[in-house]
Amino acid sequence: MSAESSGPEPGPLCPEHGQALSWFCCSERRPVCAACTGLGGRCRGHRVRRAEERAEELRNKIVDQCERLQFQSASITKYVAEVLPGKNQGAVSTASAARELVIQRLGLVRSLCESEEQRLLERVHGEEERAHQSILTQRVHWTEALQKLDTIRTSLVDMLTHLDDLQLIQKEQEIFERTEEAEGILDPQDSDKLNFNEKCIRSSLLTQLWVTAVLGSFSGTEDVRIDERTVSPFLQLSDDRRTLTFNAKKSKAYADGPERFDHWPNALAATSFQAGLHTWMVNVQNSCAYKALCVKVAGASSQQKILE
């Protein structure tokens, strides 16, 4: 009984020629047999290489790719192990410094606010005392004036009732002096010195903080559109009807109409507000030729100045 020796299993064969796929066609990028590359073969004239050369090239590419992947893995490992902890520590340190800065600034603002509060309250108290003293002084002055007028009137009445004609004539100079003295007491007139001056609480710091607090408390914005029928010829309306730009020269592009402002650079919104606090953003750039902006609430008789 003889033992049969078994060799390596044959590889895939060319389906067209039945030969081993020992070549690689670079043009079609597939393995081919020798007959495919020969005369009459489908790959004649193509760029072909030995299959083992192509395989060796691929092995080298895989090795290179594995090395790159190894380097990339090492870089990521180093990043995770060294860079990210440093970033995390930096974030913690920066956040701590930011907290200290916030506390420091708020402490300064709080100190300034307390100082400003004390200063303004002292001014209010001082102004109240001044007005009170002025009123007291006026009260004393006019009380004395009343007493003097009463004394003069009593004296004149006494002369009128008790003196005869000769005696009255002899008292003419005294009557003249008493009359002149009475005429010197003028009628009382209202004076600003008697009023509490509300300007005593003016504070740029307080105003800026108040405006910042009010604007910062807004929860949203209204989608306000401008009624183009009311736009003054001195204003240019944007395409979205939300922005107005002042023009020094009067434009002739707008048709005349009863709703249009033709003298002042004004415009009306398409919708009105019945209540609430509303603001407009005004960009005056480097110009100082602008006036106070007033918003008139529909249905109200007063105007509220919100920007000066």
Side-chain angles (χ1 to χ4, degrees):
M1 186 174 178
S2 61
E4 296 182 357
S5 60
S6 58
E9 295 183 0
L13 302 178
C14 176
E16 184 177 354
H17 302 102
Q19 297 183 15
L21 300 174
S22 56
W23 293 86
F24 178 78
C25 178
C26 299
S27 300
E28 296 185 1
R29 303 193 65 80
R30 67 183 185 90
V32 295
C33 68
C36 292
T37 63
L39 186 62
R42 58 180 298 173
C43 294
R44 185 187 178 204
H46 292 181
R47 189 166 63 89
V48 295
R49 299 180 62 186
R50 300 287 299 182
E52 58 269 20
E53 293 178 0
R54 176 59 179 171
E56 184 64 22
E57 181 182 355
L58 291 178
R59 289 189 181 93
N60 293 334
K61 286 185 177 180
I62 292 174
V63 171
D64 293 340
Q65 184 64 34
C66 289
E67 290 180 353
R68 284 194 295 269
L69 293 176
Q70 186 176 0
F71 289 140
Q72 187 176 4
S73 298
S75 176
I76 293 175
T77 301
K78 181 179 180 180
Y79 181 81
V80 172
E82 299 179 7
V83 177
L84 289 183
K87 291 288 185 181
N88 185 66
Q89 184 62 36
V92 172
S93 300
T94 305
S96 178
R99 291 189 186 93
E100 292 296 329
L101 182 60
V102 169
I103 294 174
Q104 179 183 4
R105 289 181 175 180
L106 286 177
L108 177 60
V109 171
R110 190 178 297 108
S111 175
L112 289 176
C113 287
E114 291 175 353
S115 175
E116 189 72 354
E117 177 187 15
Q118 183 65 27
R119 185 182 71 86
L120 292 176
L121 291 179
E122 289 177 357
R123 291 188 62 179
V124 169
H125 178 72
E127 180 62 19
E128 181 184 19
E129 288 293 323
R130 185 207 60 77
H132 180 66
Q133 289 298 326
S134 296
I135 294 172
L136 289 179
T137 301
Q138 287 286 302
R139 186 181 299 277
V140 171
H141 171 75
W142 291 114
T143 299
E144 293 177 353
L146 283 175
Q147 293 176 352
K148 185 178 293 186
L149 288 174
D150 185 64
T151 301
I152 295 173
R153 186 179 62 83
T154 302
S155 175
L156 292 175
V157 170
D158 184 68
M159 291 180 184
L160 183 64
T161 56
H162 294 91
L163 298 180
D164 57 23
D165 293 345
L166 183 59
Q167 291 173 334
L168 191 62
I169 293 174
Q170 292 176 346
K171 292 287 186 178
E172 182 178 359
Q173 181 62 31
E174 184 179 348
I175 294 172
F176 174 77
E177 291 176 356
R178 293 295 178 90
T179 303
E180 190 177 45
E181 183 180 1
E183 290 177 351
I185 301 176
L186 303 177
D187 294 334
Q189 295 180 352
D190 192 13
S191 172
D192 289 338
K193 294 181 179 180
L194 304 178
N195 301 326
F196 182 87
N197 184 9
E198 296 182 359
K199 294 181 180 180
C200 69
I201 63 171
R202 282 189 175 179
S203 168
S204 58
L205 172 63
L206 188 62
T207 301
Q208 293 174 12
L209 291 175
W210 177 82
V211 171
T212 302
V214 170
L215 295 180
S217 64
F218 288 161
S219 59
T221 58
E222 295 281 352
D223 187 14
V224 178
R225 305 298 171 124
I226 304 299
D227 186 355
E228 56 187 351
R229 299 174 302 173
T230 66
V231 177
S232 165
F234 291 100
L235 298 174
Q236 181 179 355
L237 183 62
S238 61
D239 293 337
D240 59 3
R241 296 171 50 202
R242 301 174 71 178
T243 304
L244 291 168
T245 305
F246 176 75
N247 293 322
K249 295 184 179 180
K250 191 174 183 179
S251 174
K252 299 181 180 179
Y254 297 116
D256 294 334
E259 300 91 353
R260 191 174 307 283
F261 291 95
D262 56 1
H263 184 66
W264 294 103
N266 295 342
L268 295 179
T271 55
S272 61
F273 301 102
Q274 300 300 325
L277 179 63
H278 305 275
T279 63
W280 298 85
M281 293 182 62
V282 180
N283 182 8
V284 298
Q285 294 182 349
N286 297 325
S287 173
C288 60
Y290 66 93
K291 296 183 178 180
L293 174 65
C294 295
V295 174
K296 187 173 183 180
V297 180
S301 59
S302 62
Q303 290 183 338
Q304 180 182 13
K305 184 187 295 184
I306 62 174
L307 176 64
E308 190 171 78

